């Protein structure tokens, strides 16, 4: 298994206010720390027109993190491709990939917020054809420069299409393990039914809510931080179920239940409990685990502390484990 961390959203929220320059300065500090701890990847996230300054331009932010590191891969999880001009994104991604020596993981998603499509002047009904056009441009321009393409999806049909293209997929941290298993299987089947493009099965990455601690007070704080982070997603209007027929992650019709279910996915406890939980994730078909520890209210010191402990106590044990 391979390990990274995320999601850096670069927000300044009502419950955790900070100057926006602080968010971007800490991004660079965190990138240096992740590389020093031995992680493979750092993942950023994008949204538009949200009150807290949620990062609207992940490629420049990713370029900055890549510039202060030499081995760390930096990924976008996800860049909302239908809202962008395909050739512009592809050219910028190619530049970033080239300058970083091929360390850019370019995750792309469809987007789901009406306000973002309206604000960009893009009809929501055009998001699928625009996504296809964007993927074609990335394939022709960014991939030859060294960028690796990932897809974000929470439906079996969506991940199967990614598999059929020979591209990796990144799954949400809110997915229950049963859905992770279903989606990983659909991705694998899509790749196989398409004739195994590329010859090597593309990887499945999954965000997982994780916190290593033996302390009861820290446990309560970490679960509160997780809960607060999903309250923010409810505020964004996140819902897969309503429009894409997936029974999980409906933060619109039942936000309280969805938040509770998402927090319940957290693997929390001492190192042996984390290892046991990650073995279950591997058995579900996940190749890359992204520790979802950049969460609402967690101070940078706590973030670095838990990342160091995970690197020291968990990663060496899991380094030889392979997805089922």
């Amino acid at each position: 298994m391979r390990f990274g961390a995320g999601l850096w959203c670069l927000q300044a929220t009502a419950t955790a206010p900070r100057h926006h320059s602080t968010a971007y300065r800490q991004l660079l500090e965190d990138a240096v720390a992740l590389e020093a701890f031995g992680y493979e990847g750092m993942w950023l996230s994008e949204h538009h027109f949200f009150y807290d300054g949620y990062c609207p331009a992940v490629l420049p932010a990713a370029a900055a993190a890549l510039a202060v590191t030499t081995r760390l891969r930096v990924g976008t999880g996800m860049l909302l491709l239908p809202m962008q001009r395909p050739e512009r994104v592809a050219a910028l991604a190619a530049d970033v990939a080239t300058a970083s020596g091929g360390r850019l993981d370019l995750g792309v998603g469809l987007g789901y917020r009406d306000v973002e499509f309206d604000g960009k002047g893009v009809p929501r009904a055009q998001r699928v054809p625009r996504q296809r056009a964007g993927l074609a441009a990335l394939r022709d321009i960014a991939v030859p420069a060294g960028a690796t393409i990932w897809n974000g999806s929470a439906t079996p049909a969506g991940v199967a299409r990614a598999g059929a293209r020979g591209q990796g997929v990144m799954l949400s941290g809110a997915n229950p393990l049963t859905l992770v298993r279903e989606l990983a299987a659909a991705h694998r089947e899509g790749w196989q039914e398409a004739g195994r493009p590329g010859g090597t099965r593309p990887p499945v990455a999954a965000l997982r809510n994780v916190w290593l601690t033996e302390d009861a007070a820290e446990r309560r704080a970490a679960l509160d931080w997780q809960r607060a982070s999903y309250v923010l997603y409810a505020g964004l209007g996140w819902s897969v179920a309503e429009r894409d027929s997936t029974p999980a992650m409906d933060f619109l019709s039942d936000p309280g239940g969805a938040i509770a279910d998402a927090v319940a996915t957290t693997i929390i406890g001492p190192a042996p409990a984390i290892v046991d939980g990650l073995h279950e994730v591997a058995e579900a078909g996940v190749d890359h685990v992204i520790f979802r520890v950049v969460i609402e209210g967690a101070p940078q010191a706590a973030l670095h502390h838990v990342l160091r402990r995970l690197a020291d106590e968990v990663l060496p044990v899991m380094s030889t484990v392979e997805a089922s």
Side-chain angles (χ1 to χ4, degrees):
M1 297 187 82
R2 297 180 177 181
F3 294 91
L7 290 168
W8 275 263
C9 307
L10 307 176
Q11 297 156 280
T13 64
T15 55
R18 57 181 174 174
H19 196 281
H20 289 295
S21 64
T22 301
Y24 285 83
R25 185 188 72 247
Q26 290 184 345
L27 168 71
L28 305 187
E29 295 169 353
D30 295 343
V32 172
L34 273 179
E35 182 167 88
F37 296 157
Y39 288 91
E40 177 176 284
M42 174 187 223
W43 290 84
L44 286 67
S45 181
E46 169 185 305
H47 273 297
H48 304 268
F49 311 118
F50 201 51
Y51 84 94
D52 61 8
Y54 201 120
C55 182
V58 284
L59 280 176
L66 287 163
V68 297
T69 55
T70 58
R71 300 182 307 278
L72 187 73
R73 302 187 65 83
V74 179
T76 61
M78 297 286 162
L79 182 150
L80 305 180
L81 191 55
M83 301 176 196
Q84 319 282 345
R85 289 191 288 112
E87 293 77 11
R88 175 184 175 277
V89 170
L92 179 55
D95 287 345
V96 174
T98 299
S100 66
R103 291 187 288 130
L104 176 65
D105 286 313
L106 189 60
V108 296
L110 284 167
Y112 59 88
R113 299 178 69 226
D114 288 338
V115 67
E116 294 180 323
F117 287 96
D118 293 345
K120 292 287 187 177
V122 176
R124 187 187 174 103
Q126 293 183 10
R127 68 177 189 158
V128 172
R130 289 179 67 92
Q131 179 85 341
R132 289 173 179 159
L135 285 168
L138 294 176
R139 180 196 62 213
D140 294 341
I141 300 171
V143 171
T148 301
I149 307 301
W150 296 76
N151 295 256
S153 181
T155 65
V159 298
R161 286 191 293 269
R165 291 191 293 267
Q167 295 170 348
V169 67
M170 178 177 165
L171 307 178
S172 166
N175 287 336
L177 205 55
T178 52
L179 182 56
V180 171
R181 185 175 292 107
E182 177 186 356
L183 295 174
H187 184 253
R188 186 183 303 239
E189 290 166 8
W191 174 69
Q192 292 171 337
E193 291 173 3
R196 302 176 182 240
T200 301
R201 180 179 62 82
V204 173
L207 286 153
R208 300 316 293 166
N209 299 310
V210 172
W211 203 271
L212 196 164
T213 184
E214 300 85 10
D215 181 77
E218 185 179 2
R219 178 189 179 93
R220 289 192 297 271
L223 292 174
D224 283 344
W225 298 331
Q226 291 285 8
R227 187 175 300 106
S229 69
Y230 283 113
V231 168
L232 284 176
Y233 277 107
L236 280 164
W238 187 28
S239 178
V240 176
E242 181 177 299
R243 287 174 169 145
D244 297 302
S245 302
T246 295
M249 300 187 302
D250 184 358
F251 283 72
L252 285 179
S253 65
D254 182 18
I259 291 166
D261 290 345
V263 174
T265 67
T266 306
I267 305 169
I268 189 166
I274 305 300
V275 169
D276 289 345
L278 292 176
H279 274 290
E280 293 183 0
V281 174
E283 290 167 2
V286 174
D287 306 288
H288 296 198
V289 174
I290 303 164
F291 293 140
R292 186 178 175 276
V293 291
V294 187
I295 46 181
E296 175 68 3
Q300 187 184 43
L303 171 64
H304 286 199
H305 176 71
V306 75
L307 284 170
R308 182 185 292 276
R309 287 200 64 189
L310 287 165
D312 290 345
E313 302 174 42
V314 173
L315 267 57
V317 181
M318 298 299 300
S319 61
T320 59
V321 174
E322 296 184 3
S324 299

